[in-house]
Amino acid sequence: MALSPLVVDDIAQMLLACVCAELTTTAERVDGQPGCPCVACVVPGRPAWDNCTGDCSGAKTVGQLTVNLDRIYPTSAFPTETKDVIGSRNCAPVRQAADYVITLLRCAPTYTEQGCPPSCEEQAAAARILHVDAVSVTNALMCCFPQTSDARRGQQFMLGPLRTLGPEGQCVGIEQRVAVALPFCGCTAGGES
């Protein structure tokens, strides 16, 4: 089946908007929790870890939120990748799915100028932010993302594992993978999309 040329990017933008909105809402409800980072964007490929502690031109929430496409694959029974042979004379009754990666990075506690490691209190504060961020990303995907589709049952997707990243350098964060069944339309006359 044929895909709209913008469908992959549109879904990436929807994922970004849902997560950013949930992070902002959570920051309003949880004292000390940072909101959506000032650097929040869809990126091509794996994100560079270069905005964890950077200047955000006066913005108060440093960090980095990115969404990137990992792969597109055929599926006859979403979310399982199919190995079906696709004929050359027509569009196959196979749909496409896309794997996306949501990465959220925050500042990590680090050594002092005197070379002392971060205190237990600093570590616990960073862990709390990380834990709340993990729940916020999950909530965004479970509550907001399904509603971004006009389909009767909303977006069809599968959550992958959420894992922690780092600390590495001055960054610590989370990575959430999500597989999304892409909406399709019929092929045009002659089998071309």
Side-chain angles (χ1 to χ4, degrees):
M1 295 295 202
L3 298 172
S4 164
L6 295 175
V7 69
V8 171
D9 189 63
D10 288 347
I11 290 173
Q13 296 291 345
M14 290 176 215
L15 287 166
L16 181 70
C18 283
V19 172
C20 196
E22 185 64 27
L23 291 170
T24 300
T25 300
T26 301
E28 293 168 358
R29 293 185 299 174
V30 178
D31 288 338
Q33 184 68 21
C36 186
C38 55
V39 175
C41 49
V42 173
V43 296
R46 297 183 61 100
W49 288 31
D50 55 4
N51 283 307
C52 303
T53 60
D55 178 28
C56 292
S57 303
K60 56 184 174 178
T61 306
V62 296
Q64 175 177 302
L65 170 64
T66 59
V67 175
N68 69 281
L69 174 68
D70 184 41
R71 69 184 185 131
I72 297 174
Y73 62 94
T75 179
S76 295
F78 179 76
T80 305
E81 182 176 357
T82 187
K83 302 294 183 189
D84 296 345
V85 175
I86 299 172
S88 61
R89 292 185 176 229
N90 60 4
C91 286
V94 179
R95 38 183 335 178
Q96 298 293 311
D99 285 343
Y100 293 91
V101 182
I102 300 164
T103 306
L104 176 58
L105 302 172
R106 303 283 194 189
C107 298
T110 188
Y111 286 90
T112 66
E113 290 179 8
Q114 295 77 26
C116 296
S119 68
C120 285
E121 292 79 13
E122 291 171 317
Q123 296 279 16
R128 180 177 182 262
I129 289 171
L130 181 89
H131 300 157
V132 173
D133 280 343
V135 171
S136 296
V137 169
T138 300
N139 288 344
L141 293 171
M142 298 302 291
C143 300
C144 171
F145 185 61
Q147 299 173 17
T148 61
S149 171
D150 292 334
R152 187 173 57 128
R153 294 186 179 169
Q155 291 284 6
Q156 188 178 13
F157 67 101
M158 184 194 79
L159 289 179
L162 184 144
R163 65 184 190 101
T164 60
L165 303 172
E168 186 175 320
Q170 295 181 345
C171 300
V172 65
I174 57 170
E175 175 183 273
Q176 172 68 63
R177 295 181 169 270
V178 59
V180 181
L182 300 176
F184 55 87
C185 55
C187 291
T188 59
E192 297 176 7
S193 57

